[in-house]
Amino acid sequence: MWVHLFSDGAVERATGKASAGGAIRDMEGNWIVGFNHFLGNCTPFEAELWGILNGILVMLKKGYKRATIQTDNLEVIKALIEKEMEDSGITILRRVQRTMCSE
């Protein structure tokens, strides 16, 4: 069964404190579960990736293996799609990519 994973990350400019969260909905748009996570200090790029990773992990825990992932950050989407980024030094990016491929 396919689900929709909606995720977002946010960073407060003044302090650099970040959080990520989102929602998982079924194919008809019905609510399944929401999630959020305080991240401490990180970049907006990392916060977006954390939102996706947390959403994937919640989704897997609930027994769902297939999802469309929606985020508002084009840079993150490109990084997840581009093969040359697989060996990137960005640990969270590699972790998201590995989790997506392994499951």
Side-chain angles (χ1 to χ4, degrees):
M1 178 178 172
W2 284 82
V3 295
H4 295 293
L5 167 59
F6 301 90
S7 71
D8 199 10
V11 179
E12 183 180 62
R13 288 182 188 181
T15 64
K17 302 282 187 226
S19 62
I24 299 171
R25 295 181 175 267
D26 68 17
M27 294 305 289
E28 285 78 41
N30 299 310
W31 180 270
I32 296 173
V33 68
F35 59 93
N36 64 10
H37 186 152
F38 175 72
L39 302 171
N41 286 12
C42 68
T43 67
F45 183 80
E46 292 167 327
E48 293 284 344
L49 287 168
W50 274 111
I52 293 170
L53 179 61
N54 290 337
I56 291 170
L57 295 176
V58 168
M59 181 189 83
L60 291 171
K61 187 174 182 180
K62 291 281 190 187
Y64 300 102
K65 301 259 183 199
R66 296 176 181 227
T68 60
I69 300 172
Q70 295 186 358
T71 181
D72 61 358
N73 190 309
L74 185 58
E75 183 183 2
V76 167
I77 294 166
K78 287 180 180 178
L80 289 172
I81 293 171
E82 292 175 8
K83 294 295 181 194
E84 61 267 8
M85 293 296 289
E86 288 179 353
D87 296 324
S88 155
I90 304 169
T91 305
I92 184 64
L93 174 59
R94 289 193 322 263
R95 187 167 175 203
V96 171
Q97 289 171 322
R98 287 183 188 145
T99 303
M100 287 171 55
C101 289
S102 69
E103 299 296 335

